[in-house]
Amino acid sequence: MGVRAASGGRALSLDTLVRLERGLKASGTPRRLPVPDGMTAPLGCDAVAVPARFGPLVLPRLPRVGCVYADEAHWWWLVPSDSDYALEWPAPAHYAAGAVVPDAPAVPGLIHKPDGTLPYTPPIPLYLALCRVTGTTPTWSRPLIA
């Protein structure tokens, strides 16, 4: 599916439009969480942030933990790009496309680096752990309302 400009210009895909919208929402001085030296991110990087009080509750619930960053207010997990596709991350989690930390005075510090070369925390176990600690029913388990 694409959108064509009235002047007959190039068609834009839905993915392109979503990325453009995300770019418009960025404010302040954006800072990107870095992939540590020696690691690669072949799937791109996004991040999921939660208030710092939830970090220690989520961590032991994960079967594999990728790179985790923290500051006084939040813990951030690196996940593959587009891990928000068809997922409604539970509040108060914040999904950050491109692993951009908005309005941060500095880049949060790396508090966990996994063995190996991939920086990712698997998004589905992270999503389920966040649902558990926030008392949120996963999207696919909610009743349908007509």
Side-chain angles (χ1 to χ4, degrees), residues 55-125:
L57 301 173
V58 170
L59 202 58
R61 296 177 184 273
L62 298 171
R64 181 188 187 285
V65 180
C67 290
V68 181
Y69 297 82
D71 58 24
E72 290 180 10
H74 296 93
W75 282 32
W76 301 82
W77 279 266
L78 289 185
V79 294
S81 290
D82 299 322
S83 292
D84 61 337
Y85 180 76
L87 277 182
E88 187 178 315
W89 288 86
H94 170 74
Y95 190 86
V100 173
V101 182
D103 302 325
V107 174
L110 181 66
I111 62 168
H112 182 269
K113 179 182 173 188
D115 294 332
T117 60
L118 296 176
Y120 307 122
T121 295
I124 299 300

Side-chain angles (χ1 to χ4, degrees), residues 118-133:
L118 296 176
Y120 307 122
T121 295
I124 299 300
L126 178 59
Y127 173 80
L128 292 171
L130 287 170
C131 285
R132 182 73 155 178
V133 301

Side-chain angles (χ1 to χ4, degrees), residues 25-48:
K25 289 182 181 178
S27 64
T29 304
R31 301 188 190 282
R32 187 176 309 273
L33 295 172
V35 173
D37 289 339
M39 300 191 99
T40 61
L43 302 175
C45 271
D46 289 347
V48 177

